[in-house]
Amino acid sequence: PPQQPPMYNIPDFTSPVYNPVPAKKKGSGWKIFWGIVITLSLLANAVMFLGIIGMVAMGSMIPTSVSSPSIEDNLQEKVIIGGNRNQKIAVINILGVINNESSAWFQTQMKRCSKDPQVKGLIVRINSPGGMVSSSDQIHYAISKFKDKYPNKPVLCFMQGVAASGGYYSAVACDEIMAEPTVITGSIGVIMNFMVIEELLEEKLGINPVTIKSGPRKDWPSMFNEATDEQKAYLNEKIITPSYERFVELIVEGREGVLTESQIRKLADGSIYSATEAESNGLIDDIGYMDDAVAHIRKKAGVGNAQVVEYQQVFSVWNMLGAEAKAKSEFNLETELLEKIAAPRILYLWDGRE
């Protein structure tokens, strides 16, 4: 019999039950993903562009004849202990190593405090090992100036943690000094340090520095040469001794009626003291905690329920526009680093490593 042709299952396209599944397009998921990413990116750029336009518009609305607001105008009060809103005790902090920045911040708060007639007393809270001689002296001067201008507003120093060297230098400007039981204070004296890299340059790197100077003492001290006995005596006479004598002089002034100059000089050998030792030696007046300091200053000021406040800097458009960022430019950072490495440092500082 003749061979039958093979049978094929041919779909019936006219049948109502025929429902072919469409083939998936390759890569369609990635297209959707990248579409979302690009859309979000465009939206973000649009928001940033509108923000920049808004900032420029805000800047253009400020009259050119008006200078940017002073830093003390951008401070806000933070209530740390509640009380009568019409009477205040201000707390101004000295925290960490005392340098140009911390001195400027302290003085800014003092200016704000001085402008507020509701401030009836001041607590200077110190937790610092000291720092730069000039910056410590600026803080001492700011406190003294406040006392001279407002003799009826008591000023209490409250020590926490460490209040040594430049920290104590600042403290003696206050009317009284109170410290927590665990405080370390004292370290009355001056320290000067600088690096000598002569051996590193010459023996390790093969670099021979050349110095051309107008006089034999022009480069004393030098980071390129070991200091001789003559150089050390010269620096001690010109820098260390005058700074030390001023430290002692201000303690004599601040602790008048408590310590004599001879007693102070015995204590001013760089030694550190516990709170108990400092009290027994007359370096501080009392030992207590913050609550005790507040109660004491309220009593001295005659304002038993005064609010206790401290100051904080608030965000401003000037900060956002980079007015402060300019002060921290790359050039300034490089010169600051160079100064720290190369320049001798004269400090009222207790360095616990030594």
Side-chain angles (χ1 to χ4, degrees):
Q3 188 176 0
Q4 296 293 327
M7 300 297 294
Y8 297 96
N9 293 326
I10 301 175
D12 184 2
F13 295 101
T14 61
S15 174
V17 298
Y18 177 71
N19 186 21
V21 179
K24 294 183 180 180
K25 295 182 179 180
K26 294 182 179 180
S28 60
W30 284 107
K31 290 181 180 179
I32 296 173
F33 171 77
W34 287 113
I36 294 173
V37 171
I38 293 172
T39 301
L40 292 176
S41 177
L42 291 173
L43 288 174
N45 288 331
V47 171
M48 290 176 62
F49 179 72
L50 292 175
I52 292 172
I53 293 176
M55 290 167 59
V56 173
M58 291 175 63
S60 63
M61 293 172 61
I62 301 173
T64 56
S65 60
V66 179
S67 61
S68 60
S70 60
I71 298 177
E72 60 265 22
D73 293 333
N74 288 330
L75 298 184
Q76 67 178 7
E77 290 182 355
K78 176 185 176 183
V79 177
I80 54 178
I81 300 179
N84 185 349
R85 296 181 179 180
N86 297 320
Q87 298 174 331
K88 302 173 188 173
I89 299 297
V91 177
I92 299 182
N93 300 310
I94 302 174
L95 305 175
V97 175
I98 298 174
N99 53 26
N100 292 332
E101 288 75 18
S102 58
S103 171
W105 173 234
F106 181 85
Q107 293 177 68
T108 296
Q109 295 176 86
M110 288 293 291
K111 288 178 182 177
R112 170 64 184 272
C113 176
S114 298
K115 291 179 180 179
D116 189 348
Q118 294 181 333
V119 172
K120 307 301 180 183
L122 176 64
I123 296 176
V124 178
R125 180 161 53 186
I126 301 177
N127 190 344
S128 169
M132 296 174 61
V133 167
S134 58
S135 301
S136 302
D137 192 65
Q138 290 163 8
I139 292 174
H140 185 284
Y141 173 73
I143 298 171
S144 300
K145 187 177 179 180
F146 179 88
K147 287 172 52 181
D148 291 340
K149 189 174 183 179
Y150 305 104
N152 295 325
K153 296 183 179 183
V155 181
L156 173 68
C157 169
F158 179 64
M159 296 178 170
Q160 288 183 309
V162 175
S165 204
Y168 187 74
Y169 187 103
S170 304
V172 294
C174 302
D175 296 318
E176 296 178 89
I177 303 174
M178 181 182 292
E180 286 188 343
T182 56
V183 155
I184 294 175
T185 188
S187 187
I188 301 167
V190 191
I191 185 172
M192 178 181 183
N193 52 43
F194 58 93
M195 293 192 301
V196 177
I197 59 174
E198 177 184 14
E199 182 177 344
L200 172 64
L201 292 178
E202 295 181 359
E203 298 185 10
K204 303 296 183 181
L205 302 178
I207 299 173
N208 295 316
V210 176
T211 302
I212 301 174
K213 52 188 178 180
S214 58
R217 297 177 176 178
K218 181 58 182 167
D219 65 340
W220 290 3
S222 172
M223 65 187 300
F224 303 127
N225 297 288
E226 289 285 347
T228 64
D229 291 339
E230 180 186 5
Q231 291 176 4
K232 292 177 182 178
Y234 172 80
L235 295 170
N236 186 69
E237 176 188 354
K238 296 293 184 178
I239 298 176
I240 302 300
T241 298
S243 299
Y244 175 80
E245 289 299 326
R246 177 161 178 77
F247 202 156
V248 171
E249 176 186 345
L250 292 182
I251 299 176
V252 171
E253 180 183 311
R255 305 303 292 167
E256 184 179 5
V258 180
L259 288 172
T260 64
E261 181 176 344
S262 61
Q263 290 174 320
I264 292 169
R265 290 189 180 277
K266 290 180 180 179
L267 298 168
D269 61 354
S271 298
I272 56 173
Y273 304 98
S274 66
T276 303
E277 291 174 323
E279 184 183 27
S280 62
N281 284 305
L283 292 174
I284 67 174
D285 298 293
D286 202 359
I287 297 176
Y289 292 92
M290 188 61 181
D291 291 343
D292 301 312
V294 170
H296 183 79
I297 199 72
R298 280 174 169 173
K299 182 177 180 181
K300 294 286 289 187
V303 285
N305 192 36
Q307 235 181 27
V308 182
V309 301
E310 61 183 8
Y311 302 112
Q312 296 178 334
Q313 192 166 1
V314 297
F315 174 81
S316 71
V317 67
W318 301 100
N319 297 337
M320 183 170 60
L321 291 174
E324 292 184 356
K326 291 181 180 179
K328 294 293 184 183
S329 66
E330 182 179 354
F331 176 76
N332 286 336
L333 288 174
E334 289 177 355
T335 54
E336 183 179 348
L337 178 61
L338 178 62
E339 180 183 356
K340 288 182 177 180
I341 293 175
R345 299 190 304 160
I346 303 96
L347 305 169
Y348 292 138
L349 176 70
W350 172 57
D351 188 345
R353 297 170 299 175
E354 297 186 359

